[in-house]
């Protein structure tokens, strides 16, 4: 059975079936005590199923080619991409820009010849101080921060490592950056921009039909739904009031507010055109009949009224079946 793809950027990630099956079997054998040397060898990854890291780097390369006039200042990624290969390659492909991701709290760093976890280092040696930062260049919030340029063991090189805790949180998150010449505050404020992608996801899901209106399954269905949602987004960018905002260098209107405004504009246009008819009442009745034909009410399949469900009770002549 083909698996449903998981969207990554504008491409789709699908796990390698052979690797997935091997991993499942390996875990099963390990659980029952089979030694590693007696378990099946891990198969090579099929190039038809690239990893999420490979997909992300491919997207970055394509963006650079398609938008060569745009200078990339930073590449922001979550903890999944906080590995050496991705960060080094992303910095290279983006023209040496800053690449910011996250480390796990148990990842090792080297400090004065001693290896310890990043959590241990910041809890015992480099404790945080309170600061104020701007989230996406707007709202000011309080954070607790400490930072150092440390050698990350798994990266085999020095990175800019930051322990960050937002006001009201109990645990730190640990940012990692490639360019050691940036200031701590600049890295933190740049990383807040990563959450802009969540705004796009929200717009796609709530207002632009991504997911809700994608009736087809699998990769083709997902692609078509995404294309339709992006076309809708493009149309809203061309809305006269949106163009006026952009040309005036003002913040653009939200997709939700533009959608609601457009719906009311259509309703008002309908009422205006209706009033222009010689007999608006008769025209409204005519339209009402058309609506009944187009939007037919359908009986629900979860209500059991009028259905033969059988007896749903024991049969006396079969009591002997329960004996013994």
């Amino acid at each position: 059975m083909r698996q449903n793809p998981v969207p990554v950027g504008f491409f789709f990630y699908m796990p390698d079936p052979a690797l997935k099956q091997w991993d499942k079997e390996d875990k099963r054998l390990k659980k029952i005590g089979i030694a590693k040397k007696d378990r099946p060898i891990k198969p090579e990854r099929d190039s038809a199923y690239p990893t999420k890291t490979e997909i992300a780097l491919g997207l970055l390369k394509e963006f650079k080619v398609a938008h060569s006039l745009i200078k990339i200042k930073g590449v922001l990624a979550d903890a999944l991409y906080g590995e050496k290969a991705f960060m080094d390659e992303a910095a290279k492909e983006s023209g040496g820009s800053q690449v910011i991701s996250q480390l796990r709290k148990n990842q090792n760093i080297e400090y004065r010849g001693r290896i310890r976890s990043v959590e241990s280092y910041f809890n015992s040696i480099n404790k945080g101080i309170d600061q104020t930062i701007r989230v996406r260049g707007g709202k000011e919030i309080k954070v607790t921060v400490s930072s150092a340029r440390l050698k990350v063991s798994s990266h085999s090189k020095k990175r800019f490592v930051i322990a960050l805790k937002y006001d009201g949180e109990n645990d730190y998150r640990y940012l990692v950056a490639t360019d050691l010449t940036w200031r701590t505050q600049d890295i933190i404020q740049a990383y807040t921009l990563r959450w802009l992608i969540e705004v796009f996801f929200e717009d796609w899901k709530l207002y632009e039909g991504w997911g809700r209106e994608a009736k087809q399954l699998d990769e083709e269905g997902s692609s078509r739904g995404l294309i339709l949602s992006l076309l809708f987004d493009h149309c809203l960018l061309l809305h006269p009031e949106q163009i006026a905002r952009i040309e005036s260098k003002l913040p653009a209107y939200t997709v939700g507010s533009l959608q609601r405004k457009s719906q009311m504009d259509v309703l008002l246009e309908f009422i205006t055109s209706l009033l222009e008819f010689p007999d608006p009442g008769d025209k409204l009745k005519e339209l009402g009949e058309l609506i009944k034909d187009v939007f037919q009410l359908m009986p629900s399949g979860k209500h059991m009224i009028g259905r033969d469900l059988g007896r749903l009770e024991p049969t006396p002549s079969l009591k002997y079946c329960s004996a013994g």
Side-chain angles (χ1 to χ4, degrees):
M1 181 182 294
R2 193 173 183 187
Q3 303 166 72
N4 288 329
V6 178
V8 176
F10 300 142
F11 288 72
F12 295 92
Y13 166 75
M14 293 180 65
D16 185 330
L19 276 175
K20 187 174 182 179
Q21 182 60 36
W22 170 86
D23 184 61
K24 182 179 179 181
E25 181 66 9
D26 188 67
K27 288 179 179 177
R28 186 186 71 81
L29 294 175
K30 184 179 180 180
K31 187 175 182 179
I32 62 177
I34 304 298
K36 184 176 181 180
K37 63 183 180 64
D38 297 322
R39 301 199 299 266
I41 298 174
K42 185 177 181 179
E44 293 290 329
R45 176 177 288 276
D46 188 336
S47 59
Y49 298 92
T51 64
K52 292 181 181 180
T53 297
E54 291 170 338
I55 291 174
L57 290 172
L59 285 167
L60 181 58
K61 292 176 183 178
E62 290 193 16
F63 179 87
K64 188 178 177 183
V65 172
H67 306 282
S68 57
L69 297 179
I70 295 179
K71 181 179 179 181
I72 302 174
K73 290 193 174 184
V75 177
L76 314 175
D78 62 24
L80 176 67
Y81 304 91
E83 57 182 32
K84 179 181 186 297
F86 173 80
M87 297 189 71
D88 287 345
E89 190 66 19
K92 177 183 174 183
E93 290 297 333
S94 60
S97 70
Q98 177 69 283
V99 180
I100 309 171
S101 184
Q102 284 186 236
L103 295 176
R104 299 185 307 276
K105 65 180 181 180
N106 61 348
Q107 284 190 251
N108 290 331
I109 56 92
E110 297 179 31
Y111 176 70
R112 294 184 177 178
R114 181 181 173 185
I115 296 177
R116 64 176 75 222
S117 71
V118 65
E119 180 183 43
S120 171
Y121 169 79
F122 283 107
N123 281 344
S124 59
I125 297 175
N126 192 347
K127 296 186 178 180
I129 60 174
D130 294 336
Q131 292 187 18
T132 299
I133 66 167
R134 287 188 178 276
V135 178
R136 294 183 287 279
K139 180 182 178 182
E140 288 190 344
I141 62 170
K142 293 180 180 180
V143 295
T144 304
V145 180
S146 56
S147 63
R149 293 166 178 82
L150 302 165
K151 183 176 180 180
V152 179
S153 300
S154 61
H155 292 206
S156 302
K157 62 173 58 178
K158 187 175 285 188
R159 300 290 200 199
F160 203 134
V161 184
I162 299 172
L164 172 67
K165 182 170 64 177
Y166 291 102
D167 190 31
E169 291 184 339
N170 296 321
D171 300 320
Y172 282 95
R173 67 196 68 199
Y174 302 98
L175 307 185
V176 58
T178 55
D179 192 333
L180 304 179
T181 66
W182 281 39
R183 299 182 307 171
T184 301
Q185 187 172 12
D186 295 331
I187 294 174
I188 296 171
Q189 294 192 161
Y191 195 68
T192 65
L193 297 172
R194 194 189 78 78
W195 297 103
L196 285 173
I197 190 63
E198 302 299 334
V199 178
F200 285 103
F201 288 157
E202 181 182 25
D203 283 345
W204 285 349
K205 292 176 181 178
L206 293 180
Y207 304 113
E208 299 176 23
W210 168 243
R212 282 185 309 168
E213 305 301 331
K215 303 302 183 185
Q216 293 176 270
L217 301 177
D218 219 320
E219 183 174 350
E220 182 182 4
S222 298
S223 298
R224 289 184 176 182
L226 180 57
I227 290 169
L228 285 171
S229 70
L230 291 173
L231 287 173
F232 185 72
D233 193 43
H234 184 68
C235 289
L236 289 177
L237 282 173
L238 298 177
H239 190 285
E241 295 190 40
Q242 189 75 294
I243 290 175
R245 296 283 291 185
I246 294 172
E247 290 179 347
S248 300
K249 300 188 185 307
L250 296 171
Y253 291 122
T254 65
V255 169
S257 63
L258 275 175
Q259 185 190 62
R260 290 189 292 271
K261 177 69 164 54
S262 298
Q263 290 170 338
M264 293 308 300
D265 287 343
V266 170
L267 177 60
L268 289 173
E269 182 65 26
F270 166 74
I271 294 173
T272 300
S273 61
L274 184 65
L275 293 175
E276 291 176 352
F277 283 94
D279 192 338
D282 286 345
K283 189 62 179 178
L284 187 60
K285 290 180 181 179
E286 180 184 337
L287 290 172
E289 293 301 318
L290 289 174
I291 289 175
K292 289 180 182 179
D293 292 336
V294 175
F295 299 97
Q296 296 185 8
L297 298 176
M298 305 299 292
S300 170
K302 63 185 178 184
H303 296 284
M304 300 292 103
I305 295 176
R307 300 196 183 195
D308 184 0
L309 302 179
R311 291 174 60 242
L312 303 179
E313 61 185 33
T315 299
S317 62
L318 296 177
K319 285 185 177 179
Y320 72 93
C321 292
S322 63

